């Protein structure tokens, strides 16, 4: 079995665990009891490789991910779990602090509800289950010490577009845990995540790079339409539905794209690029959602109303 | 949830562009003419277009994107850049933080408008030889469409020198420019679902060595055993933007 140690800002080293001759403590592991519909290991991804065709990947809601690691006493780039629409159950072989952030979801330990606690002291052998969120769609779960997952191109993030990184979670999968770390004494009531909760979510964007390809009516429509997130919504991007923009088919030579790009394909219904977006695209990008607000888009569900507010 | 309720994010605050950002630095608000493709991009002038909080998209006009990207990476301030992404006619530059986007624009302008200091063509790059076995499944059909013998298609492909223009589509997928005029064909109407690593294919004026595991709509003319993309290697890419590539026929 291979274990890894991760440190922020530099390439993850991989080493092989010495054979276990029955001496010393058992290595601590996290075991997946139930995987849920789409759970994966994430760290802060593979930035800086877009020129090689490699998406940055990383958590869809980076703010909640970083918060989970901080609450668990880990560096922000430590591998942790991204749970989409709940359905996850895990158990640990060693008692650890576990932080849960992002979309608020029913939590149980051995079947007993423990809702509202952003950090748990999870005893060895107990089963922590994450149900379907009440609001938002992605819940983050960080274990003190972090997960040990095989890095690919320097990151343990699963990229659902290219297939780079560790496999998505499945029942029975085991992940080694790094040495437990002391957790910070911070007021946990301040540890909240931003998720859409009823009513429209408003996200800010900057015009460009290709907004001038669109006429005034299209640009007006983009900012006044109560867009709905469609069922075609994953870590690659969120397609929005509503009265389509009229621009029609514009093929540009492929050009680099960024997270948050609002790309308009020939259908006229925008797509907002998320963590696993392709590094280049040929449809015009009318605007880019701000870094501050793109995490909120990563928490939207099909049917959620999204309003796009331009920064002037 | 209104934007005001969003807690402070891990990004630098918005900043007002300094005075050195001219109107040309940001895309004009004017509506384009009806036929946008004709007037786009403006010929002979590099343009910076804002691409989000931390990005500038450079339209390279008459300069080669690979050369522009190489020049940008050579600047002392390039360590503050997260991504420099050359593509067909543009270079996307993404900064680590949103602070100083105006200063960055000014720095990019000095690179783009610098005269004499930089070559106008693509960077010299390295010369890389890739052995190819020209026995791809599409070779007979495209030879017939082109009115050539399969051997002649292979000879003409192997006689050219290609440039690594940019990477895109998939990890390690390097677009190599320079397919001879006589071999240019549109892509397949129906792409193959999965193409193995090492397959050599052509479409339009470009050729590629498939990195493996992707779908593919290009015409497969051969295969190489040389690994050009290996995610376990450091670095994973054998080819870099600006490199010159020649294919050398080997017998099956």
């Amino acid at each position: 079995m291979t274990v890894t140690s991760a440190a922020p800002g530099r390439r993850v080293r991989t080493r092989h665990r010495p054979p276990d001759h029955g001496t010393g403590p058992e290595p601590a592991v996290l075991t997946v009891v139930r995987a849920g519909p789409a759970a994966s290991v994430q760290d802060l991804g593979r930035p800086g490789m877009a020129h090689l065709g490699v998406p940055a990947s990383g958590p869809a809601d980076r703010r909640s991910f970083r918060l989970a690691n901080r609450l668990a006493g880990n560096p922000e780039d430590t591998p942790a779990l991204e749970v989409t629409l709940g359905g996850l159950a895990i158990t640990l072989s060693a008692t650890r602090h576990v932080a849960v952030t992002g979309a608020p979801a029913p939590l149980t330990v051995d079947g007993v509800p423990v809702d509202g606690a952003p950090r748990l002291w999870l005893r060895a052998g107990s089963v922590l289950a994450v149900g379907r969120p009440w609001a938002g769609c992605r819940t983050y779960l960080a274990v003190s010490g972090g997960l040990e997952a095989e890095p690919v191109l320097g990151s343990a993030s699963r990229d659902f577009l290219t297939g780079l990184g560790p496999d998505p979670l499945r029942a029975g999968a085991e992940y080694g845990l790094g040495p437990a770390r002391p957790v910070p004494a911070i007021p946990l009531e301040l540890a909240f995540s931003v998720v859409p909760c009823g009513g429209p979510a408003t996200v800010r964007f900057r015009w460009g790079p290709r907004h001038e390809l669109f006429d005034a009516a299209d640009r007006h429509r983009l900012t006044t339409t109560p867009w709905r997130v469609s069922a075609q919504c994953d870590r690659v991007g969120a397609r929005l539905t509503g009265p389509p923009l009229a621009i029609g088919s514009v093929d540009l030579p492929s050009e680099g794209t960024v997270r948050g790009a609002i790309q308009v394909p020939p259908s006229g219904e925008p797509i907002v690029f998320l963590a696993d977006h392709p590094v280049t695209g040929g449809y015009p990008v009318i605007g880019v959602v701000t870094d501050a607000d793109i995490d909120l888009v990563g928490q939207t569900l099909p049917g959620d109303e999204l309003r796009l507010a331009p920064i002037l | 949830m209104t934007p005001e309720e969003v807690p402070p994010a891990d990004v630098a605050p918005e900043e007002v562009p300094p005075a050195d950002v001219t109107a040309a630095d940001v895309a004009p608000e004017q509506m384009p003419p009806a036929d946008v493709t004709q007037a786009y991009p403006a010929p002979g002038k590099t343009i910076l277009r804002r691409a989000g909080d931390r990005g500038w998209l450079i339209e390279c006009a008459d300069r080669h994107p690979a050369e522009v990207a190489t020049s940008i990476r050579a600047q002392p301030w390039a360590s503050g850049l997260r991504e420099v992404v050359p593509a067909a006619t543009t270079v996307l530059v993404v900064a680590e933080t949103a602070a100083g986007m105006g200063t960055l624009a000014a720095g990019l302008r000095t690179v783009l408008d610098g005269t004499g200091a930089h070559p106008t063509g693509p960077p010299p790059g390295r010369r890389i030889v890739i052995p190819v076995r020209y026995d791809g499944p599409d070779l007979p059909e495209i030879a017939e469409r082109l009115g050539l013998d399969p051997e002649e298609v292979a000879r003409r492909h192997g006689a050219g020198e290609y440039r690594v223009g940019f990477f895109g589509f998939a990890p390690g997928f390097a677009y190599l420019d320079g397919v001879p005029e006589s071999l240019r064909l549109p892509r397949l109407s129906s792409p193959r679902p999965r193409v193995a690593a090492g397959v050599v294919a052509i479409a339009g004026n470009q050729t590629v060595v498939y990195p493996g595991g992707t779908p593919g709509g290009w015409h497969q003319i051969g295969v190489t055993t040389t690994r050009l993309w290996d995610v376990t290697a450091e670095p994973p890419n054998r080819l870099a933007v600006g490199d010159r590539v020649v294919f050398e026929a080997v017998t099956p």
Side-chain angles (χ1 to χ4, degrees):
Chain A
M1 183 179 173
T2 307
V3 297
T4 61
S5 61
R10 62 186 174 86
R11 209 158 270 279
V12 176
R13 287 184 303 116
T14 303
R15 65 189 167 84
H16 290 283
R17 177 173 282 165
D20 186 357
H21 298 298
T23 57
E26 285 287 307
V29 295
L30 176 153
T31 304
V32 178
V33 178
R34 289 194 306 278
S40 63
V41 177
Q42 296 292 329
D43 56 17
L44 290 181
R46 305 178 181 84
M49 302 186 86
H51 64 289
L52 298 177
V54 178
S57 193
D61 173 358
R62 293 167 296 185
R63 184 162 37 208
S64 296
F65 177 89
R66 289 185 168 118
L67 177 62
N69 267 328
R70 289 205 297 271
L71 291 173
N74 298 333
E76 289 186 345
D77 196 18
T78 305
L81 298 181
E82 179 177 276
V83 186
T84 302
L85 298 175
L88 178 84
I90 57 135
T91 184
L92 306 180
S93 69
T95 301
R96 290 287 174 97
H97 281 290
V98 177
V100 184
T101 64
L107 303 179
T108 61
V109 173
D110 296 331
V112 179
V114 291
D115 296 345
R119 190 164 68 202
L120 308 164
W121 179 240
L122 186 64
R123 301 220 170 261
S126 287
V127 173
L128 169 62
V130 180
R132 190 181 168 112
W134 295 295
C137 80
R138 293 186 171 93
T139 306
Y140 293 88
L141 193 153
V143 182
S144 175
L147 304 182
E148 291 170 336
E150 190 68 37
V152 177
L153 296 176
S155 166
S157 280
R158 173 65 180 190
D159 176 346
F160 285 76
L161 180 73
T162 67
L164 292 173
D167 288 338
L169 259 58
R170 59 175 202 284
E174 291 189 351
Y175 299 89
L177 299 177
R181 294 187 173 96
V183 297
I186 60 162
L188 294 181
E189 64 272 21
L190 297 181
F192 67 95
S193 296
V194 181
V195 297
C197 41
T202 300
V203 301
R204 294 164 292 181
F205 74 96
R206 277 180 195 280
W207 293 111
R210 298 293 179 185
H211 62 297
E212 66 180 29
L213 287 176
F214 296 79
D215 64 21
D218 264 356
R219 284 186 287 191
H220 181 70
R221 203 173 288 128
L222 183 78
T223 60
T224 53
T225 297
W227 297 102
R228 294 264 171 203
V229 176
S230 87
Q232 289 168 284
C233 148
D234 56 20
R235 285 174 44 84
V236 175
R239 186 182 289 268
L240 308 181
T241 59
L245 305 190
I247 185 166
S249 183
V250 174
D251 272 317
L252 297 167
S254 281
E255 59 191 29
T257 60
V258 295
R259 182 190 285 225
I262 305 166
Q263 190 192 61
V264 183
S267 74
E269 293 188 316
I271 298 168
V272 181
F273 277 179
L274 294 174
D276 296 346
H277 71 87
V279 301
T280 57
Y283 296 132
V285 170
I286 189 170
V288 179
V289 174
T290 62
D291 277 337
D293 289 357
I294 191 60
D295 289 337
L296 181 59
V297 182
Q299 286 287 5
T300 56
L301 283 167
D304 281 350
E305 185 178 328
L306 200 69
R307 288 180 179 269
L308 297 169
I311 291 178
L312 298 174
Chain B
M1 178 88 32
T2 65
E4 285 71 31
E5 290 173 76
V6 176
D10 299 325
V11 295
E14 304 298 335
E15 43 106 39
V16 179
D20 60 11
V21 180
T22 63
D25 287 323
V26 291
E29 277 292 324
Q30 292 301 313
M31 275 174 52
D35 184 0
V36 290
T37 51
Q38 217 168 57
Y40 217 79
K45 175 91 176 86
T46 51
I47 297 176
L48 299 191
R49 297 179 187 280
R50 194 64 187 257
D53 288 343
R54 294 180 290 115
W56 289 111
L57 183 72
I58 303 162
E59 285 202 53
C60 296
D62 52 354
R63 290 181 67 179
H64 196 289
E67 182 260 315
V68 171
T70 305
S71 297
I72 291 169
R73 283 194 188 277
Q75 301 301 313
W77 40 262
S79 58
L81 302 179
R82 176 168 291 191
E83 309 277 6
V84 179
V85 191
T89 60
T90 59
V91 177
L92 173 71
V93 173
V94 181
E96 289 286 352
T97 73
M101 288 302 288
T103 310
L104 174 57
L108 292 171
R109 282 221 161 271
T110 61
V111 176
L112 296 167
D113 298 342
T115 50
H118 304 287
T120 50
R126 302 164 297 172
R127 185 171 185 273
I128 292 176
V129 180
I130 300 174
V132 182
R133 211 174 64 216
Y134 284 104
D135 60 355
D138 297 332
L139 192 56
E141 191 201 322
I142 67 165
E144 194 175 322
R145 282 174 65 181
L146 295 167
L148 301 168
D149 291 335
E151 295 75 20
E152 181 60 14
V153 172
R155 194 195 64 76
R156 292 189 187 187
H157 183 265
E161 182 177 271
Y162 302 84
R163 282 273 180 188
V164 182
F166 64 99
F167 288 70
F169 173 60
F173 192 100
Y175 291 88
L176 309 181
D177 299 321
V179 168
E181 198 79 55
S182 61
L183 299 184
R184 293 183 189 175
L185 288 168
R187 296 176 189 190
L188 297 173
S189 52
S190 178
R192 294 182 171 89
R194 199 173 173 86
V195 180
V199 168
V200 177
I202 57 172
N205 76 329
Q206 290 167 322
T207 188
V208 72
V209 179
Y210 276 92
T214 69
W218 295 25
H219 305 276
Q220 300 182 7
I221 59 173
V223 67
T224 180
T225 54
T226 304
R227 276 300 275 287
L228 297 178
W229 178 251
D230 179 0
V231 296
T232 66
E234 171 66 48
N237 54 310
R238 269 284 301 281
L239 300 181
V241 166
D243 283 348
R244 294 167 295 139
V245 173
V246 291
F247 295 98
E248 194 176 74
V250 294
T251 44

